Amino acid sequence: MSNGVNGHHNSSEGELFLSEAFKVILEEAVHKATDVKEKVCEWKDPEELRVLMDLELGDHGESHQQLLQRVRDIARYSVKTNHPRFFNQLFAGVDYHSLTGRFLTEALNTSQYTYEVAPVFVLMEDVVLRKLRSLVGWSEGDGIFCPGGSVSNMYAMNVARYWAFPQVKTQGLWTVPRLAVFTSQESHYSMKKSAAFLGIGTENVYHVKVDERYSSLHKAFGAVPFFVNATAGTTVQGAFDPLDRIADISERNGIWMHVDAAWGGSVVFSKKHKHLIAGMERANSCTWNPHKMLMAGLQCSVFLMRDTTNLLMHCHCANATYLFQQDKFYDMSLDTGDKSIQCGRKVDCLKLWLMWKAIGAQGLANRVDIAFASTRYFVEELKKREGFQVVSEPQFVNVCFWFIPPSLRGKENSPDYQEKLAKVAPVIKERMVKKGSMMVGYQPLDGRVNFFRMVILSPQLNHSDLDFFLDEVERLGNDL
């Protein structure tokens, strides 16, 4: 039978499909996707996948059984990011409580802008943001959930500019001088994107080392520094900037300091590793993505501020009268939607809240500590093997290394060594993906040729998975 011929389907058929599809999702996208005996991905070239998936849309509906098969196929040909051998991004693994929160969020299908349509979630977001701020070291402040770390960083730059030049909101860029952004050498590319979006210009983003002379230098060139971005956990190497020293410079010059802790912020839970972000409490704002190390699931990113003057609302509000009527029958301060640059805003707090309720701050701390311990094990094992060479000693859970195949060992001084070494990681990556055995990223950086970036964060990882990884790199690369 075809679904929805008249453009609507009866609810009992819809519920039957939902319950059967849900069984398929649990089996294919959760149970099998976390099974180490299954593939991480079933690779198909784009042309083949397009045909296999039959993606084009037609005039008539399909049968219940056809649609269930589509659900199966989508799961089958998607990358299993929950798999123990998926090391490709800064997110991995699955938390079942968070996943439940994500399912419930989808089912309730509301927008986070007003207490009227999202009463539970408006109060919940407030509690979660307050708790996260207190971990940073701010007893008061503000914040909002954003669609990813790049947007959180853009909020920071926009609010910092408004703080320094409030007239920019109403009168535009004509009313402000040429502005300069200072950011660390390996900061995220969203700094440049933000500068482009906000009309500051990518050429006014200066990648600097921590040295006060830069701020006076650029004042001399006629650009006014208004925003200093420090990174806590860089994307590739997992490096942490010296936040206290950067705070000294920012405070002396009266410049807004932001910490992009999208990746590294979660170390705040761990007594043992919290020292990595010492000084973060001195910043004006920070970005933090619980969907990364804490495994809250995509996406879960917060922009947090120390400000208590309602700066975020003043900077972003447009006072839409159809949403934010001033004569409502409840406390209007609960309508937080105008702090956002979005109108409709997805509920991103529930997945984190439910997971936190389930395992507590102690469980989240354990998660961080286990990741560090697994990283130590991996580095020790890697160093015992011939042909593996770390790019730099890891500060965090990113392990960057080269695999040097037997044919290149001892030839470090030959003229084409670097050129040949650069080709190793891409070939090994292609082989592992086509085989489906695991996934890991690689990249060049600062004049260093392609190296692997191993990210170790899922508590579901065993030592055997890490041993398998090293064995598999050797298997796939020994003949190169």
Side-chain angles (χ1 to χ4, degrees):
M1 194 206 73
S2 171
N3 281 297
V5 179
N6 309 319
H8 65 83
H9 31 230
N10 78 50
S11 60
S12 59
E13 278 171 26
E15 284 193 20
L16 177 65
F17 175 72
L18 179 63
S19 64
E20 292 193 6
F22 210 72
K23 284 178 200 153
V24 174
I25 291 167
L26 285 176
E27 179 57 29
E28 302 294 328
V30 180
H31 179 66
K32 276 191 188 169
T34 53
D35 183 350
V36 79
K37 294 189 287 294
E38 298 282 339
K39 288 182 173 184
V40 175
C41 62
E42 194 161 323
W43 177 260
K44 301 286 176 205
D45 286 318
E47 295 69 30
E48 190 188 352
L49 187 60
R50 213 172 263 121
V51 174
L52 264 174
M53 295 299 299
D54 179 25
L55 293 170
E56 290 309 313
L57 299 165
D59 293 336
H60 302 288
E62 296 182 341
S63 74
H64 189 89
Q65 289 313 316
Q66 279 174 299
L67 292 169
L68 283 177
Q69 188 52 47
R70 293 202 175 279
V71 173
R72 272 189 203 94
D73 289 344
I74 289 165
R76 178 178 176 183
Y77 297 113
S78 291
V79 174
K80 310 303 185 293
T81 64
N82 301 340
H83 195 284
R85 292 173 186 169
F86 176 82
F87 306 105
N88 207 68
Q89 312 302 139
L90 301 182
F91 60 88
V94 62
D95 178 280
Y96 295 98
H97 298 101
S98 159
L99 184 57
T100 305
R102 282 142 71 195
F103 286 146
L104 183 53
T105 298
E106 295 301 327
L108 289 169
N109 191 42
T110 194
S111 175
Q112 182 83 60
Y113 38 44
T114 61
Y115 184 80
E116 195 173 322
V117 292
V120 174
F121 300 128
V122 163
L123 299 179
M124 184 184 286
E125 184 178 59
D126 181 56
V127 167
V128 175
L129 290 170
R130 205 165 57 232
K131 192 76 179 166
L132 292 172
R133 278 196 306 270
S134 72
L135 285 166
V136 173
W138 301 330
S139 56
E140 294 180 286
D142 205 348
I144 194 166
F145 276 80
C146 295
S150 292
V151 175
S152 298
N153 284 339
M154 187 167 81
Y155 271 35
M157 200 178 285
N158 196 40
V159 171
R161 181 176 64 181
Y162 177 78
W163 177 68
F165 303 99
Q167 72 275 21
V168 73
K169 179 178 174 179
T170 49
Q171 295 163 40
L173 295 175
W174 305 109
T175 61
V176 297
R178 188 159 67 86
L179 299 175
V181 168
F182 291 125
T183 187
S184 44
Q185 214 72 45
E186 281 183 42
S187 62
H188 193 256
Y189 65 84
S190 57
M191 284 300 131
K192 284 200 158 173
K193 282 201 170 193
S194 300
F197 269 109
L198 295 172
I200 289 159
T202 55
E203 288 183 3
N204 294 314
V205 177
Y206 298 95
H207 291 268
V208 296
K209 291 195 165 57
V210 186
D211 182 340
E212 190 175 12
R213 282 172 306 181
Y214 287 101
S215 59
S216 46
L217 178 72
H218 290 294
K219 273 179 184 154
F221 281 134
V224 177
F226 78 105
F227 185 76
V228 172
N229 172 66
T231 309
T234 57
T235 310
V236 177
Q237 298 201 81
F240 288 76
D241 284 339
L243 303 183
D244 268 320
R245 280 168 58 203
I246 295 168
D248 290 343
I249 295 164
S250 305
E251 284 168 13
R252 254 203 307 278
N253 291 279
I255 302 173
W256 186 283
M257 175 181 166
H258 174 70
V259 180
D260 177 2
W263 178 214
S266 298
V267 300
V268 78
F269 280 96
S270 164
K271 288 188 176 72
K272 201 169 174 185
H273 302 289
K274 195 179 172 180
H275 64 89
L276 288 166
I277 54 162
M280 187 150 102
E281 72 286 350
R282 295 174 62 192
N284 297 86
S285 59
C286 71
T287 289
W288 179 1
N289 289 5
H291 71 231
K292 293 191 162 102
M293 193 168 211
L294 298 181
M295 299 167 57
L298 288 162
Q299 54 197 7
C300 190
S301 174
V302 293
F303 169 57
L304 302 174
M305 297 168 63
R306 198 171 39 150
D307 171 77
T308 55
T309 67
N310 215 11
L311 193 65
L312 187 57
M313 180 72 91
H314 293 312
C315 179
H316 288 159
C317 71
N319 304 314
T321 51
Y322 76 96
L323 274 177
F324 308 112
Q325 303 89 340
Q326 296 305 305
D327 49 6
K328 288 189 180 182
F329 59 90
Y330 59 82
D331 178 0
M332 273 293 298
S333 70
L334 294 167
D335 288 359
T336 52
D338 231 2
K339 292 181 181 185
S340 171
I341 58 170
Q342 298 165 264
C343 177
R345 185 161 64 93
K346 196 174 171 66
V347 172
D348 283 332
C349 56
L350 172 55
K351 52 199 141 192
L352 176 56
W353 181 87
L354 195 59
M355 175 174 79
W356 200 326
K357 279 284 192 191
I359 64 173
Q362 194 50 59
L364 296 171
N366 292 344
R367 197 163 278 185
V368 173
D369 290 339
I370 288 167
F372 273 92
S374 297
T375 304
R376 276 195 303 278
Y377 172 82
F378 179 76
V379 173
E380 281 164 19
E381 293 304 307
L382 179 143
K383 285 178 175 174
K384 290 176 192 169
R385 298 186 184 221
E386 205 187 342
F388 288 86
Q389 186 187 333
V390 292
V391 175
S392 56
E393 282 301 318
Q395 246 190 308
F396 194 25
V397 297
N398 310 38
V399 184
C400 296
F401 69 92
W402 287 286
F403 174 70
I404 301 149
S407 67
L408 286 179
R409 286 174 204 165
K411 306 209 171 128
E412 288 77 6
N413 298 324
S414 64
D416 57 355
Y417 174 79
Q418 292 294 328
E419 190 190 335
K420 283 182 172 169
L421 183 59
K423 293 180 178 146
V424 173
V427 175
I428 293 177
K429 170 80 180 237
E430 181 181 353
R431 289 176 176 182
M432 76 173 68
V433 169
K434 288 185 172 169
K435 185 177 168 186
S437 58
M438 57 190 200
M439 269 180 99
V440 68
Y442 71 84
Q443 62 286 302
L445 184 74
D446 291 342
R448 288 172 284 202
V449 299
N450 284 327
F451 54 84
F452 287 111
R453 177 197 69 172
M454 174 71 163
V455 179
I456 298 170
L457 65 94
S458 170
Q460 280 111 358
L461 273 180
N462 295 312
H463 285 180
S464 59
D465 297 310
L466 299 172
D467 296 338
F468 172 87
F469 176 91
L470 294 168
D471 293 341
E472 184 74 348
V473 168
E474 288 177 338
R475 271 193 294 273
L476 297 171
N478 266 338
D479 66 332
L480 295 178

